[in-house]
Amino acid sequence: MPARATGRPRVPPLRDRAPAPARGPASACDPARGVILALALTLAAAASAAAQAPKPQPPRPPAAAPDPAFEAMRAGFEALPEAERKALQDALVWTGDYNSVVNGAFGRRTFEALSAARARTDAGDPLDPRSRAAILAAGEAARKAVRFTVQADPASGAALGVPERMLPKRSAVPGGTRWQSADGRLTLESRSFPAGGTDLDALFTRATAPLADRKVTYKLKRPDFIVVTGETASGRSYVRYAAGPEGIRGFAIGYEAAQAGEIDRLVIAIANSFVPFPGTRGEAPRIATAPAAAPPASGAPQSSGGPQVASAPNVVGTGLVVAPGRVLTASAVLEACPAPRIGSAPARVLRSERGLALLEAAGLPAPRLPGIVGASASEDRVVVAAQEAREGAGGDAGVSVAPGAMVGAARVTAPLQPGSAGAPVLDRAGGLAGLVASYPAAPRLIAGVMPPASFPVIPGTVVAAVLGEAGIATRPSTAGAGSVGAAASAVGGAVIGIVCAR
């Protein structure tokens, strides 16, 4: 129910019963209307055929001249790695400058947001390293101020960001969870319907139905999601649902109009963090919750606190098949798992030194050992990490390919996921520049995406030395630079997931 003029805003209720799908208007099948339409089309065709010469066309207006400032900022923004572009947009949401989707794409809203940040801080180029760092720091400070935590909600199955400092009250509701401010003026609810319980058409009809005290200010309907916003004399609401094989999941926010200046940017951040079906292919990674930081409200689900992003079950690291029966990974993987397995086969540690571990296992894919990179003129890097290990598949693994950049001589900045320790780091020519040395035990999501972070790298020269001592020959990289995909193909199917025996 939207906020009422005489009371506090409440999230529009949709749970009393699953609404029936809306029926189309009867007039859509009216026979008389069909006859009229057919006659109109016939007359139009006849008139077209009777035309003997093309009619002169009015002159087209001249194309608008490109905006030099816009194009210059576009070029600078698009030159950044995708993860860094998304992180900038997310930070600009928190500074109140950006009010659109965090997708890394440059457009008018991104241009206006960066321009606003430059005007507010009296900086020069908002995309130079110092200005970017200032924008990211301001966004991080705003997030911390409200203790914004992206977390899984077991009640609905979705993941979303919750400003825990602003919404300390939590309670269970059918199919979801309700978070509220201490004074009840701000409410966030997660919601879910099982498959077959209702559909998006019915929810959209219900959310946009005319009400005496509510005005629908925005509505969007797509085959797989809907968004509806509304206003009353004293309140505002935002409703979003997404459909998938597991049913429908969404969330709704209700708040007083007087809070709009503070809450509107929060609504955008929550919307950007929302992952209706975490863990499915093409979505954000699975999110598991850490223990609650404080006792939840009576009857509330026992899940809150900072998130931990979990990859496929038991994946603890990434390995590169460098020779028949031999896998190279980072020693940090063995610290997390003393009894590693590759697929269904146990892996035996042959040697572990200088941050690297050489394992032996049966049933491995064909080795792919790229040329070793000593020094590279470009700082661009590509990290190829195991994403999922399928037991019984001989170590076969899905992979994630993350663009990144070197920071100094022994660190890479990239949006990596858990299981990335030991992942090969390639230059754009497909040369092996090193391996990711370690991955933090509890990474943090920002607005539903993993921002770029700095990870230690075991250099390619160390890799060459360790492999040489093990009798595995290496060669220098001589290929020319190419695309991210071409670079990743240098390791082909030789990137495997390392799992931990239960």
Side-chain angles (χ1 to χ4, degrees), residues 84-388:
E84 188 166 345
R85 300 197 303 268
K86 290 181 177 179
L88 266 177
Q89 288 177 329
D90 175 64
L92 290 166
V93 168
W94 285 99
T95 59
D97 299 310
Y98 185 66
N99 63 350
S100 191
V101 179
V102 173
N103 57 8
F106 188 85
R108 179 59 56 179
R109 291 188 181 182
T110 301
F111 171 74
E112 292 172 352
L114 289 168
S115 299
R118 174 173 55 191
R120 187 179 60 256
T121 59
D122 197 25
D125 181 1
L127 294 176
D128 68 33
R130 180 175 296 180
S131 297
R132 296 201 312 268
I135 291 172
L136 294 173
E140 178 69 9
R143 278 188 295 267
K144 287 183 176 179
V146 297
R147 204 163 65 228
F148 190 77
T149 307
V150 180
Q151 56 187 262
D153 173 37
S156 66
L160 74 166
V162 178
E164 295 180 330
R165 181 167 283 118
M166 300 179 69
L167 300 174
K169 297 168 61 178
R170 187 179 60 178
S171 59
V173 295
T177 302
R178 175 181 293 153
W179 294 268
Q180 280 189 308
S181 59
D183 58 9
R185 298 171 62 198
L186 172 62
T187 299
L188 167 65
E189 281 188 13
S190 63
R191 299 173 171 181
S192 65
F193 297 93
T198 186
D199 59 29
L200 289 178
D201 288 339
L203 294 172
F204 187 76
T205 299
R206 182 72 173 269
T208 57
L211 295 176
D213 60 346
R214 182 190 65 186
K215 177 178 68 174
V216 174
T217 54
Y218 178 83
K219 57 184 178 180
L220 175 66
K221 183 174 179 291
R222 294 287 185 266
D224 56 346
F225 75 94
I226 63 171
V227 176
V228 179
T229 66
E231 289 185 3
T232 65
S234 62
R236 294 187 179 183
S237 63
Y238 179 103
V239 177
R240 178 171 182 157
Y241 283 107
E246 299 172 57
I248 294 177
R249 298 175 183 174
F251 69 94
I253 304 172
Y255 55 104
E256 291 187 358
Q259 299 175 291
E262 177 184 9
I263 304 302
D264 282 352
R265 71 184 70 180
L266 188 62
V267 173
I268 298 168
I270 294 172
N272 277 309
S273 75
F274 175 58
V275 181
F277 304 98
T280 58
R281 291 190 182 274
E283 293 245 18
R286 294 176 178 90
I287 299 178
T289 55
S298 176
Q302 302 293 312
S303 66
S304 183
Q308 294 178 347
V309 182
S311 58
N314 289 332
V315 173
V316 293
T318 297
L320 176 64
V321 183
V322 294
R326 301 291 187 269
V327 175
L328 186 68
T329 187
S331 299
V333 174
L334 304 182
E335 297 173 6
C337 180
R341 300 177 71 88
I342 298 174
S344 58
R348 184 168 69 92
V349 180
L350 298 179
R351 61 196 304 153
S352 179
E353 57 182 303
R354 282 176 277 183
L356 295 170
L358 188 63
L359 310 180
E360 179 184 51
L364 297 176
R368 293 286 295 273
L369 180 56
I372 303 296
V373 175
S376 176
S378 171
E379 294 182 349
D380 291 339
R381 294 291 183 265
V382 178
V383 183
V384 184
Q387 189 175 48
E388 176 186 12

Side-chain angles (χ1 to χ4, degrees), residues 389-475:
R390 300 190 295 274
E391 291 193 11
D396 187 20
V399 298
S400 63
V401 178
M406 288 301 294
V407 180
R411 297 190 75 85
V412 65
T413 296
L416 304 185
Q417 303 296 340
S420 295
V425 180
L426 310 170
D427 69 1
R428 287 298 180 93
L432 185 61
L435 267 63
V436 175
S438 62
Y439 189 88
R444 180 174 56 86
L445 288 176
I446 294 178
V449 298
M450 179 66 68
S454 177
F455 302 91
V457 172
I458 303 163
T461 51
V462 176
V463 172
V466 170
L467 290 180
E469 293 167 6
I472 300 174
T474 61
R475 57 182 174 79

